Amino acid sequence: MSRKATRIAALLAIALLAALFFFFQDDILGKDQPQKTVAAETAAQPEAPPQTPVEAMVTQATSLRDAISVNGSTVPNEEVAITSEVAGKIISINFREGDYAKAGQVLVQLDDDELQAERKRLVVQRQLNEKIAERLKALYNKEGVSLQEYEVAAAEVEKTEADIALVDAQLRKRVVRAPFAGRLGLRMVSEGSYLSPGTPIVSLVSINPIKLEFDVPEKYSRSIETGGRVDFRLDGKADSFQATVIAKEPNIDPETRTLRFKAQAPNPGGRILPGAFADVKVELEEYAGTILVPTQAIVPELNDKKVFRYENGKAQPVVVTTGIRQERNIQILEGLNAGDTIITTGLLQIQPGAPVRISKLN
């Protein structure tokens, strides 16, 4: 066969194979080819992001009282070191350490034998002078003596009475009494010892009511008035105590720029001891109709702060202006309204506009 015939035969064979492929391509490629294409197109579509579970709260308008915490200390209502005004030997001690003493109770008796003897002598002298003055008065009425003689006798009576009053005052100083009711401390003298004027005998402390001293920075001092209330806590005690402001210093301390206040609180049973450290909470100003959110709901940024508000199943960022910060909450001045739903947890896992699911609503 010639080359030309061979080439024509080959072309016819190729054409026949092409026609057979065209008519039987479904059988050759398979009938499920369109299904694979649909599945591939379905797989190419992006899946919806999952919803992040979060906790949220509904904001409400509430009242807020601005407050600061300062350090203070408890002081006794009254405190004095019992001493004697005069010198003398102690002949009796009429108290026990740690006892409660009433106002005017005798605590110490000093030796007064000499003064008692002097008083008896003056009493006898007064009686004698009174008799002399009576006789001279009778004689003067009968013009038996001069007026001057009678007046001298009457003056002697008055002088003796004055001497007795002076001795009585000295005798009273030989008795040391409690100037006010309170708790006695530890005794510093013993019977038989010689007591000099001003020597401490025992301390006397009145602790009901107890007083509280605390310093407030100058910029807050104008918000505190006499009669106001403060709360304070003591180390080792779970209870909170309330005191009433009773006084303040007239001047601001130029070194610390603080103003010292004094308050008092009832202390039945002496639960609060003087000298204790106190954490004092001072309330300043009250704000009505303000919005508070938990501090963990605030997301700080470079130049502002924001919270995430729940809107139609998504977390939308809202820039807010904050005010007073408390231990757990913070005041929102601008950016939120009462009734807004604020996301409080999961803030690190969500992005602006991300879908979220509220698992717990407070």
Side-chain angles (χ1 to χ4, degrees):
M1 185 180 293
S2 64
R3 289 182 178 179
K4 185 176 181 181
T6 304
R7 187 177 297 173
I8 293 173
L11 291 174
L12 292 174
I14 292 172
L16 179 61
L17 291 174
L20 292 173
F21 179 80
F22 178 78
F23 287 108
F24 298 102
Q25 62 177 338
D26 291 344
D27 295 335
I28 296 172
L29 297 178
K31 295 182 179 180
D32 58 341
Q33 182 65 25
Q35 297 177 359
K36 293 181 180 180
T37 303
V38 173
E41 292 178 354
T42 303
Q45 295 179 358
E47 295 182 359
Q51 293 181 331
T52 303
V54 295
E55 294 184 8
M57 66 164 290
V58 178
T59 59
Q60 297 179 355
T62 183
S63 60
L64 170 66
R65 183 173 288 276
D66 189 12
I68 59 172
S69 293
V70 297
N71 297 333
S73 60
T74 57
V75 295
N77 180 42
E78 300 288 350
E79 181 179 18
V80 67
I82 303 297
T83 61
S84 173
E85 297 183 52
V86 297
K89 185 178 72 173
I90 299 176
I91 61 174
S92 67
I93 295 177
N94 304 318
F95 67 89
R96 291 186 301 178
E97 297 171 305
D99 278 357
Y100 182 84
K102 297 180 180 179
Q105 177 180 329
V106 176
L107 302 178
V108 171
Q109 175 67 57
L110 301 181
D111 181 20
D112 61 355
D113 290 345
E114 293 182 1
L115 289 175
Q116 291 289 358
E118 177 66 13
R119 190 180 191 285
K120 289 181 181 179
R121 186 189 69 80
L122 290 173
V123 169
V124 173
Q125 184 66 45
R126 181 182 62 183
Q127 292 174 350
L128 177 60
N129 291 339
E130 288 175 347
K131 291 179 180 180
I132 293 174
E134 289 177 359
R135 287 196 295 267
L136 290 178
K137 181 179 180 181
L139 291 175
Y140 171 71
N141 292 333
K142 297 178 180 180
E143 298 182 356
V145 294
S146 64
L147 176 61
Q148 182 180 0
E149 291 176 311
Y150 166 66
E151 288 179 345
V152 169
E156 284 296 326
V157 175
E158 294 179 358
K159 177 180 178 297
T160 307
E161 290 179 347
D163 290 340
I164 293 174
L166 176 61
V167 172
D168 287 341
Q170 293 175 339
L171 284 171
R172 286 194 295 270
K173 292 182 179 181
R174 293 303 191 276
V175 180
V176 181
R177 299 177 181 272
F180 53 83
R183 186 71 60 182
L184 295 167
L186 303 181
R187 179 162 54 89
M188 291 172 276
V189 295
S190 301
E191 289 187 4
S193 59
Y194 184 83
L195 193 64
S196 300
T199 301
I201 299 172
V202 67
S203 62
L204 178 65
V205 180
S206 172
I207 60 174
N208 187 23
I210 195 75
K211 291 182 179 177
L212 177 71
E213 291 184 352
F214 57 95
D215 297 329
V216 175
E218 177 183 358
K219 65 178 180 179
Y220 300 120
S221 61
R222 296 176 180 84
S223 300
I224 306 173
E225 298 293 340
T226 303
R229 300 294 181 91
V230 296
D231 296 326
F232 66 98
R233 292 181 177 273
L234 304 176
D235 288 344
K237 294 186 181 295
D239 298 340
S240 176
F241 304 93
Q242 192 175 77
T244 303
V245 178
I246 59 174
K248 63 180 178 180
E249 289 284 2
N251 299 323
I252 293 175
D253 190 331
E255 296 183 359
T256 61
R257 298 300 176 187
T258 59
L259 185 64
R260 173 156 293 190
F261 288 83
K262 180 176 284 188
Q264 71 177 18
N267 189 28
R271 294 181 58 200
I272 307 173
L273 296 179
F277 172 81
D279 180 16
V280 186
K281 181 180 179 182
V282 183
E283 295 184 347
L284 302 175
E285 186 176 356
E286 186 173 3
Y287 300 88
T290 190
I291 295 176
L292 297 177
V293 300
T295 53
Q296 71 267 18
I298 302 295
V299 179
E301 294 187 338
L302 183 60
N303 296 321
D304 51 29
K305 301 174 183 178
K306 68 180 182 181
V307 299
F308 279 97
R309 183 166 55 195
Y310 180 81
E311 296 181 2
N312 299 323
K314 295 184 179 181
Q316 301 295 346
V318 178
V319 177
V320 295
T321 302
T322 59
I324 300 170
R325 187 184 185 93
Q326 297 181 322
E327 182 178 358
R328 298 181 179 179
N329 298 321
I330 188 168
Q331 181 189 23
I332 302 299
L333 300 177
E334 295 179 358
L336 293 179
N337 297 315
D340 289 344
T341 302
I342 304 303
I343 298 174
T344 58
T345 64
L347 301 176
L348 298 178
Q349 289 77 32
I350 59 178
Q351 298 294 327
V356 294
R357 175 176 55 84
I358 297 178
S359 60
K360 182 179 179 182
L361 184 62
N362 296 322

